[in-house]
PDB file of all heavy atoms in Angstrom:
ATOM      1  N   ARG E 588      -5.147  16.888  54.550  1.00  0.00           N
ATOM      2  CA  ARG E 588      -4.010  16.607  55.438  1.00  0.00           C
ATOM      3  C   ARG E 588      -3.817  15.119  55.731  1.00  0.00           C
ATOM      4  O   ARG E 588      -2.726  14.586  55.713  1.00  0.00           O
ATOM      5  CB  ARG E 588      -4.160  17.325  56.776  1.00  0.00           C
ATOM      6  CG  ARG E 588      -3.767  18.748  56.776  1.00  0.00           C
ATOM      7  CD  ARG E 588      -3.814  19.306  58.192  1.00  0.00           C
ATOM      8  NE  ARG E 588      -3.682  20.753  58.131  1.00  0.00           N
ATOM      9  CZ  ARG E 588      -4.156  21.558  59.062  1.00  0.00           C
ATOM     10  NH1 ARG E 588      -4.735  21.071  60.127  1.00  0.00           N
ATOM     11  NH2 ARG E 588      -3.996  22.849  58.936  1.00  0.00           N
ATOM     12  N   GLU E 589      -4.934  14.433  56.059  1.00  0.00           N
ATOM     13  CA  GLU E 589      -4.830  13.030  56.421  1.00  0.00           C
ATOM     14  C   GLU E 589      -4.338  12.187  55.240  1.00  0.00           C
ATOM     15  O   GLU E 589      -3.536  11.269  55.409  1.00  0.00           O
ATOM     16  CB  GLU E 589      -6.175  12.506  56.915  1.00  0.00           C
ATOM     17  CG  GLU E 589      -6.143  11.083  57.373  1.00  0.00           C
ATOM     18  CD  GLU E 589      -5.189  10.780  58.518  1.00  0.00           C
ATOM     19  OE1 GLU E 589      -4.768  11.690  59.234  1.00  0.00           O
ATOM     20  OE2 GLU E 589      -4.841   9.577  58.696  1.00  0.00           O
ATOM     21  N   LYS E 590      -4.781  12.482  54.044  1.00  0.00           N
ATOM     22  CA  LYS E 590      -4.303  11.763  52.851  1.00  0.00           C
ATOM     23  C   LYS E 590      -2.846  12.025  52.612  1.00  0.00           C
ATOM     24  O   LYS E 590      -2.092  11.106  52.247  1.00  0.00           O
ATOM     25  CB  LYS E 590      -5.148  12.135  51.622  1.00  0.00           C
ATOM     26  CG  LYS E 590      -6.579  11.685  51.680  1.00  0.00           C
ATOM     27  CD  LYS E 590      -6.658  10.175  51.788  1.00  0.00           C
ATOM     28  CE  LYS E 590      -8.091   9.731  51.843  1.00  0.00           C
ATOM     29  NZ  LYS E 590      -8.238   8.294  52.117  1.00  0.00           N
ATOM     30  N   ILE E 591      -2.398  13.249  52.829  1.00  0.00           N
ATOM     31  CA  ILE E 591      -0.962  13.546  52.696  1.00  0.00           C
ATOM     32  C   ILE E 591      -0.186  12.777  53.735  1.00  0.00           C
ATOM     33  O   ILE E 591       0.848  12.169  53.450  1.00  0.00           O
ATOM     34  CB  ILE E 591      -0.709  15.071  52.834  1.00  0.00           C
ATOM     35  CG1 ILE E 591      -1.279  15.811  51.617  1.00  0.00           C
ATOM     36  CG2 ILE E 591       0.784  15.375  52.984  1.00  0.00           C
ATOM     37  CD1 ILE E 591      -1.265  17.331  51.719  1.00  0.00           C
ATOM     38  N   ARG E 592      -0.670  12.769  54.981  1.00  0.00           N
ATOM     39  CA  ARG E 592       0.015  12.020  56.052  1.00  0.00           C
ATOM     40  C   ARG E 592       0.123  10.540  55.715  1.00  0.00           C
ATOM     41  O   ARG E 592       1.169   9.920  55.836  1.00  0.00           O
ATOM     42  CB  ARG E 592      -0.725  12.219  57.390  1.00  0.00           C
ATOM     43  CG  ARG E 592       0.055  11.595  58.581  1.00  0.00           C
ATOM     44  CD  ARG E 592      -0.797  11.404  59.806  1.00  0.00           C
ATOM     45  NE  ARG E 592      -1.895  10.441  59.592  1.00  0.00           N
ATOM     46  CZ  ARG E 592      -1.742   9.096  59.486  1.00  0.00           C
ATOM     47  NH1 ARG E 592      -0.558   8.565  59.541  1.00  0.00           N
ATOM     48  NH2 ARG E 592      -2.788   8.340  59.324  1.00  0.00           N
ATOM     49  N   GLU E 593      -0.990   9.951  55.255  1.00  0.00           N
ATOM     50  CA  GLU E 593      -0.988   8.530  54.869  1.00  0.00           C
ATOM     51  C   GLU E 593      -0.008   8.250  53.754  1.00  0.00           C
ATOM     52  O   GLU E 593       0.716   7.240  53.805  1.00  0.00           O
ATOM     53  CB  GLU E 593      -2.395   8.093  54.438  1.00  0.00           C
ATOM     54  CG  GLU E 593      -3.408   8.048  55.593  1.00  0.00           C
ATOM     55  CD  GLU E 593      -4.828   7.843  55.082  1.00  0.00           C
ATOM     56  OE1 GLU E 593      -5.057   7.807  53.848  1.00  0.00           O
ATOM     57  OE2 GLU E 593      -5.728   7.736  55.934  1.00  0.00           O
ATOM     58  N   PHE E 594       0.017   9.126  52.740  1.00  0.00           N
ATOM     59  CA  PHE E 594       0.913   8.905  51.620  1.00  0.00           C
ATOM     60  C   PHE E 594       2.378   9.042  52.088  1.00  0.00           C
ATOM     61  O   PHE E 594       3.232   8.242  51.693  1.00  0.00           O
ATOM     62  CB  PHE E 594       0.596   9.919  50.499  1.00  0.00           C
ATOM     63  CG  PHE E 594       1.355   9.628  49.230  1.00  0.00           C
ATOM     64  CD1 PHE E 594       0.869   8.708  48.293  1.00  0.00           C
ATOM     65  CD2 PHE E 594       2.569  10.231  48.977  1.00  0.00           C
ATOM     66  CE1 PHE E 594       1.542   8.452  47.133  1.00  0.00           C
ATOM     67  CE2 PHE E 594       3.277   9.968  47.820  1.00  0.00           C
ATOM     68  CZ  PHE E 594       2.761   9.080  46.898  1.00  0.00           C
ATOM     69  N   ALA E 595       2.643  10.070  52.908  1.00  0.00           N
ATOM     70  CA  ALA E 595       4.020  10.264  53.400  1.00  0.00           C
ATOM     71  C   ALA E 595       4.484   9.017  54.184  1.00  0.00           C
ATOM     72  O   ALA E 595       5.613   8.560  54.007  1.00  0.00           O
ATOM     73  CB  ALA E 595       4.070  11.505  54.278  1.00  0.00           C
ATOM     74  N   ALA E 596       3.575   8.475  54.993  1.00  0.00           N
ATOM     75  CA  ALA E 596       3.965   7.244  55.739  1.00  0.00           C
ATOM     76  C   ALA E 596       4.178   6.070  54.765  1.00  0.00           C
ATOM     77  O   ALA E 596       5.109   5.297  54.952  1.00  0.00           O
ATOM     78  CB  ALA E 596       2.833   6.907  56.735  1.00  0.00           C
ATOM     79  N   ALA E 597       3.345   5.968  53.752  1.00  0.00           N
ATOM     80  CA  ALA E 597       3.448   4.856  52.793  1.00  0.00           C
ATOM     81  C   ALA E 597       4.773   4.886  52.005  1.00  0.00           C
ATOM     82  O   ALA E 597       5.337   3.849  51.723  1.00  0.00           O
ATOM     83  CB  ALA E 597       2.259   4.880  51.839  1.00  0.00           C
ATOM     84  N   VAL E 598       5.226   6.087  51.666  1.00  0.00           N
ATOM     85  CA  VAL E 598       6.471   6.205  50.911  1.00  0.00           C
ATOM     86  C   VAL E 598       7.704   6.339  51.812  1.00  0.00           C
ATOM     87  O   VAL E 598       8.828   6.417  51.351  1.00  0.00           O
ATOM     88  CB  VAL E 598       6.434   7.326  49.850  1.00  0.00           C
ATOM     89  CG1 VAL E 598       5.333   7.054  48.837  1.00  0.00           C
ATOM     90  CG2 VAL E 598       6.300   8.699  50.489  1.00  0.00           C
ATOM     91  N   GLY E 599       7.460   6.394  53.128  1.00  0.00           N
ATOM     92  CA  GLY E 599       8.585   6.385  54.077  1.00  0.00           C
ATOM     93  C   GLY E 599       9.292   7.725  54.245  1.00  0.00           C
ATOM     94  O   GLY E 599      10.445   7.739  54.684  1.00  0.00           O
ATOM     95  N   THR E 600       8.635   8.833  54.003  1.00  0.00           N
ATOM     96  CA  THR E 600       9.275  10.111  54.245  1.00  0.00           C
ATOM     97  C   THR E 600       8.996  10.533  55.674  1.00  0.00           C
ATOM     98  O   THR E 600       7.898  10.409  56.172  1.00  0.00           O
ATOM     99  CB  THR E 600       8.818  11.192  53.240  1.00  0.00           C
ATOM    100  OG1 THR E 600       9.571  12.391  53.521  1.00  0.00           O
ATOM    101  CG2 THR E 600       7.355  11.484  53.317  1.00  0.00           C
ATOM    102  N   ALA E 601      10.004  11.036  56.328  1.00  0.00           N
ATOM    103  CA  ALA E 601       9.886  11.496  57.698  1.00  0.00           C
ATOM    104  C   ALA E 601       9.868  13.012  57.805  1.00  0.00           C
ATOM    105  O   ALA E 601       9.888  13.552  58.915  1.00  0.00           O
ATOM    106  CB  ALA E 601      11.035  10.912  58.540  1.00  0.00           C
ATOM    107  N   ASP E 602       9.846  13.712  56.675  1.00  0.00           N
ATOM    108  CA  ASP E 602       9.890  15.168  56.704  1.00  0.00           C
ATOM    109  C   ASP E 602       8.609  15.702  57.381  1.00  0.00           C
ATOM    110  O   ASP E 602       7.515  15.483  56.902  1.00  0.00           O
ATOM    111  CB  ASP E 602       9.980  15.694  55.246  1.00  0.00           C
ATOM    112  CG  ASP E 602      10.162  17.163  55.184  1.00  0.00           C
ATOM    113  OD1 ASP E 602       9.840  17.915  56.154  1.00  0.00           O
ATOM    114  OD2 ASP E 602      10.596  17.651  54.124  1.00  0.00           O
ATOM    115  N   PRO E 603       8.760  16.413  58.501  1.00  0.00           N
ATOM    116  CA  PRO E 603       7.565  16.910  59.232  1.00  0.00           C
ATOM    117  C   PRO E 603       6.776  17.934  58.431  1.00  0.00           C
ATOM    118  O   PRO E 603       5.617  18.197  58.790  1.00  0.00           O
ATOM    119  CB  PRO E 603       8.140  17.470  60.508  1.00  0.00           C
ATOM    120  CG  PRO E 603       9.566  17.767  60.229  1.00  0.00           C
ATOM    121  CD  PRO E 603      10.011  16.758  59.169  1.00  0.00           C
ATOM    122  N   ALA E 604       7.313  18.511  57.385  1.00  0.00           N
ATOM    123  CA  ALA E 604       6.548  19.469  56.567  1.00  0.00           C
ATOM    124  C   ALA E 604       5.377  18.791  55.879  1.00  0.00           C
ATOM    125  O   ALA E 604       4.451  19.457  55.406  1.00  0.00           O
ATOM    126  CB  ALA E 604       7.439  20.134  55.536  1.00  0.00           C
ATOM    127  N   HIS E 605       5.392  17.423  55.833  1.00  0.00           N
ATOM    128  CA  HIS E 605       4.302  16.676  55.226  1.00  0.00           C
ATOM    129  C   HIS E 605       3.198  16.326  56.261  1.00  0.00           C
ATOM    130  O   HIS E 605       2.136  15.868  55.867  1.00  0.00           O
ATOM    131  CB  HIS E 605       4.804  15.398  54.580  1.00  0.00           C
ATOM    132  CG  HIS E 605       5.793  15.616  53.507  1.00  0.00           C
ATOM    133  ND1 HIS E 605       5.552  16.408  52.394  1.00  0.00           N
ATOM    134  CD2 HIS E 605       7.043  15.145  53.343  1.00  0.00           C
ATOM    135  CE1 HIS E 605       6.617  16.392  51.607  1.00  0.00           C
ATOM    136  NE2 HIS E 605       7.542  15.657  52.180  1.00  0.00           N
ATOM    137  N   THR E 606       3.519  16.519  57.538  1.00  0.00           N
ATOM    138  CA  THR E 606       2.556  16.070  58.577  1.00  0.00           C
ATOM    139  C   THR E 606       2.246  17.119  59.631  1.00  0.00           C
ATOM    140  O   THR E 606       1.210  17.028  60.282  1.00  0.00           O
ATOM    141  CB  THR E 606       3.124  14.828  59.301  1.00  0.00           C
ATOM    142  OG1 THR E 606       4.402  15.138  59.824  1.00  0.00           O
ATOM    143  CG2 THR E 606       3.242  13.644  58.331  1.00  0.00           C
ATOM    144  N   ASP E 607       3.076  18.124  59.797  1.00  0.00           N
ATOM    145  CA  ASP E 607       2.889  19.087  60.864  1.00  0.00           C
ATOM    146  C   ASP E 607       2.689  20.480  60.273  1.00  0.00           C
ATOM    147  O   ASP E 607       3.624  21.096  59.741  1.00  0.00           O
ATOM    148  CB  ASP E 607       4.128  19.088  61.760  1.00  0.00           C
ATOM    149  CG  ASP E 607       3.983  19.950  62.994  1.00  0.00           C
ATOM    150  OD1 ASP E 607       3.212  20.928  62.978  1.00  0.00           O
ATOM    151  OD2 ASP E 607       4.705  19.654  63.974  1.00  0.00           O
ATOM    152  N   PRO E 608       1.451  20.994  60.383  1.00  0.00           N
ATOM    153  CA  PRO E 608       1.194  22.327  59.805  1.00  0.00           C
ATOM    154  C   PRO E 608       2.100  23.445  60.361  1.00  0.00           C
ATOM    155  O   PRO E 608       2.490  24.332  59.592  1.00  0.00           O
ATOM    156  CB  PRO E 608      -0.275  22.595  60.169  1.00  0.00           C
ATOM    157  CG  PRO E 608      -0.846  21.272  60.430  1.00  0.00           C
ATOM    158  CD  PRO E 608       0.256  20.408  60.968  1.00  0.00           C
ATOM    159  N   ALA E 609       2.444  23.386  61.630  1.00  0.00           N
ATOM    160  CA  ALA E 609       3.319  24.407  62.216  1.00  0.00           C
ATOM    161  C   ALA E 609       4.707  24.392  61.579  1.00  0.00           C
ATOM    162  O   ALA E 609       5.267  25.445  61.258  1.00  0.00           O
ATOM    163  CB  ALA E 609       3.426  24.222  63.722  1.00  0.00           C
ATOM    164  N   VAL E 610       5.246  23.197  61.322  1.00  0.00           N
ATOM    165  CA  VAL E 610       6.542  23.086  60.662  1.00  0.00           C
ATOM    166  C   VAL E 610       6.443  23.620  59.252  1.00  0.00           C
ATOM    167  O   VAL E 610       7.309  24.367  58.786  1.00  0.00           O
ATOM    168  CB  VAL E 610       7.055  21.615  60.687  1.00  0.00           C
ATOM    169  CG1 VAL E 610       8.277  21.453  59.787  1.00  0.00           C
ATOM    170  CG2 VAL E 610       7.354  21.194  62.122  1.00  0.00           C
ATOM    171  N   ALA E 611       5.402  23.205  58.535  1.00  0.00           N
ATOM    172  CA  ALA E 611       5.238  23.644  57.140  1.00  0.00           C
ATOM    173  C   ALA E 611       5.126  25.173  57.077  1.00  0.00           C
ATOM    174  O   ALA E 611       5.780  25.845  56.228  1.00  0.00           O
ATOM    175  CB  ALA E 611       3.997  23.008  56.520  1.00  0.00           C
ATOM    176  N   ARG E 612       4.361  25.773  57.990  1.00  0.00           N
ATOM    177  CA  ARG E 612       4.196  27.241  57.975  1.00  0.00           C
ATOM    178  C   ARG E 612       5.504  27.934  58.349  1.00  0.00           C
ATOM    179  O   ARG E 612       5.834  28.980  57.782  1.00  0.00           O
ATOM    180  CB  ARG E 612       3.046  27.636  58.936  1.00  0.00           C
ATOM    181  CG  ARG E 612       1.697  27.262  58.371  1.00  0.00           C
ATOM    182  CD  ARG E 612       0.559  27.787  59.212  1.00  0.00           C
ATOM    183  NE  ARG E 612      -0.701  27.321  58.651  1.00  0.00           N
ATOM    184  CZ  ARG E 612      -1.503  26.394  59.201  1.00  0.00           C
ATOM    185  NH1 ARG E 612      -1.199  25.891  60.411  1.00  0.00           N
ATOM    186  NH2 ARG E 612      -2.599  26.025  58.617  1.00  0.00           N
ATOM    187  N   ALA E 613       6.259  27.334  59.257  1.00  0.00           N
ATOM    188  CA  ALA E 613       7.566  27.936  59.612  1.00  0.00           C
ATOM    189  C   ALA E 613       8.515  27.920  58.427  1.00  0.00           C
ATOM    190  O   ALA E 613       9.413  28.780  58.339  1.00  0.00           O
ATOM    191  CB  ALA E 613       8.178  27.173  60.797  1.00  0.00           C
ATOM    192  N   LEU E 614       8.284  27.036  57.488  1.00  0.00           N
ATOM    193  CA  LEU E 614       9.109  26.982  56.287  1.00  0.00           C
ATOM    194  C   LEU E 614       8.537  27.851  55.154  1.00  0.00           C
ATOM    195  O   LEU E 614       9.071  27.845  54.029  1.00  0.00           O
ATOM    196  CB  LEU E 614       9.216  25.516  55.784  1.00  0.00           C
ATOM    197  CG  LEU E 614       9.987  24.576  56.726  1.00  0.00           C
ATOM    198  CD1 LEU E 614       9.827  23.128  56.265  1.00  0.00           C
ATOM    199  CD2 LEU E 614      11.474  24.972  56.743  1.00  0.00           C
ATOM    200  N   GLY E 615       7.427  28.576  55.451  1.00  0.00           N
ATOM    201  CA  GLY E 615       6.869  29.470  54.460  1.00  0.00           C
ATOM    202  C   GLY E 615       5.754  28.900  53.623  1.00  0.00           C
ATOM    203  O   GLY E 615       5.306  29.513  52.661  1.00  0.00           O
ATOM    204  N   HIS E 616       5.259  27.700  53.977  1.00  0.00           N
ATOM    205  CA  HIS E 616       4.150  27.088  53.214  1.00  0.00           C
ATOM    206  C   HIS E 616       2.830  27.409  53.885  1.00  0.00           C
ATOM    207  O   HIS E 616       2.779  27.574  55.116  1.00  0.00           O
ATOM    208  CB  HIS E 616       4.354  25.586  53.158  1.00  0.00           C
ATOM    209  CG  HIS E 616       5.642  25.168  52.501  1.00  0.00           C
ATOM    210  ND1 HIS E 616       5.877  25.321  51.166  1.00  0.00           N
ATOM    211  CD2 HIS E 616       6.767  24.636  53.033  1.00  0.00           C
ATOM    212  CE1 HIS E 616       7.098  24.899  50.882  1.00  0.00           C
ATOM    213  NE2 HIS E 616       7.654  24.484  52.014  1.00  0.00           N
ATOM    214  N   PRO E 617       1.721  27.426  53.161  1.00  0.00           N
ATOM    215  CA  PRO E 617       0.427  27.758  53.764  1.00  0.00           C
ATOM    216  C   PRO E 617      -0.144  26.603  54.598  1.00  0.00           C
ATOM    217  O   PRO E 617      -0.977  26.859  55.486  1.00  0.00           O
ATOM    218  CB  PRO E 617      -0.497  28.015  52.562  1.00  0.00           C
ATOM    219  CG  PRO E 617       0.155  27.277  51.437  1.00  0.00           C
ATOM    220  CD  PRO E 617       1.631  27.317  51.711  1.00  0.00           C
ATOM    221  N   ASP E 618       0.301  25.409  54.386  1.00  0.00           N
ATOM    222  CA  ASP E 618      -0.155  24.226  55.152  1.00  0.00           C
ATOM    223  C   ASP E 618       0.810  23.079  54.823  1.00  0.00           C
ATOM    224  O   ASP E 618       1.818  23.311  54.105  1.00  0.00           O
ATOM    225  CB  ASP E 618      -1.598  23.861  54.739  1.00  0.00           C
ATOM    226  CG  ASP E 618      -2.359  23.138  55.875  1.00  0.00           C
ATOM    227  OD1 ASP E 618      -1.754  22.288  56.558  1.00  0.00           O
ATOM    228  OD2 ASP E 618      -3.568  23.416  56.039  1.00  0.00           O
ATOM    229  N   VAL E 619       0.501  21.874  55.323  1.00  0.00           N
ATOM    230  CA  VAL E 619       1.401  20.772  54.984  1.00  0.00           C
ATOM    231  C   VAL E 619       1.453  20.570  53.483  1.00  0.00           C
ATOM    232  O   VAL E 619       0.467  20.821  52.781  1.00  0.00           O
ATOM    233  CB  VAL E 619       0.978  19.447  55.707  1.00  0.00           C
ATOM    234  CG1 VAL E 619       1.114  19.582  57.196  1.00  0.00           C
ATOM    235  CG2 VAL E 619      -0.380  18.997  55.309  1.00  0.00           C
ATOM    236  N   LEU E 620       2.617  20.184  53.002  1.00  0.00           N
ATOM    237  CA  LEU E 620       2.769  20.002  51.577  1.00  0.00           C
ATOM    238  C   LEU E 620       2.842  18.521  51.262  1.00  0.00           C
ATOM    239  O   LEU E 620       3.350  17.714  52.043  1.00  0.00           O
ATOM    240  CB  LEU E 620       3.990  20.732  51.010  1.00  0.00           C
ATOM    241  CG  LEU E 620       5.366  20.395  51.550  1.00  0.00           C
ATOM    242  CD1 LEU E 620       6.365  20.573  50.414  1.00  0.00           C
ATOM    243  CD2 LEU E 620       5.709  21.321  52.682  1.00  0.00           C
ATOM    244  N   ALA E 621       2.277  18.162  50.118  1.00  0.00           N
ATOM    245  CA  ALA E 621       2.270  16.779  49.715  1.00  0.00           C
ATOM    246  C   ALA E 621       3.655  16.359  49.211  1.00  0.00           C
ATOM    247  O   ALA E 621       4.386  17.173  48.597  1.00  0.00           O
ATOM    248  CB  ALA E 621       1.245  16.606  48.569  1.00  0.00           C
TER     249      ALA E 621
END
Side-chain angles (χ1 to χ4, degrees):
R588 277 188 192 155
E589 182 60 18
K590 293 297 180 188
I591 291 172
R592 187 197 63 72
E593 290 170 358
F594 189 86
V598 299
T600 183
D602 186 340
H605 300 304
T606 57
D607 186 334
V610 170
R612 287 187 184 110
L614 293 170
H616 301 290
D618 207 319
V619 296
L620 60 148

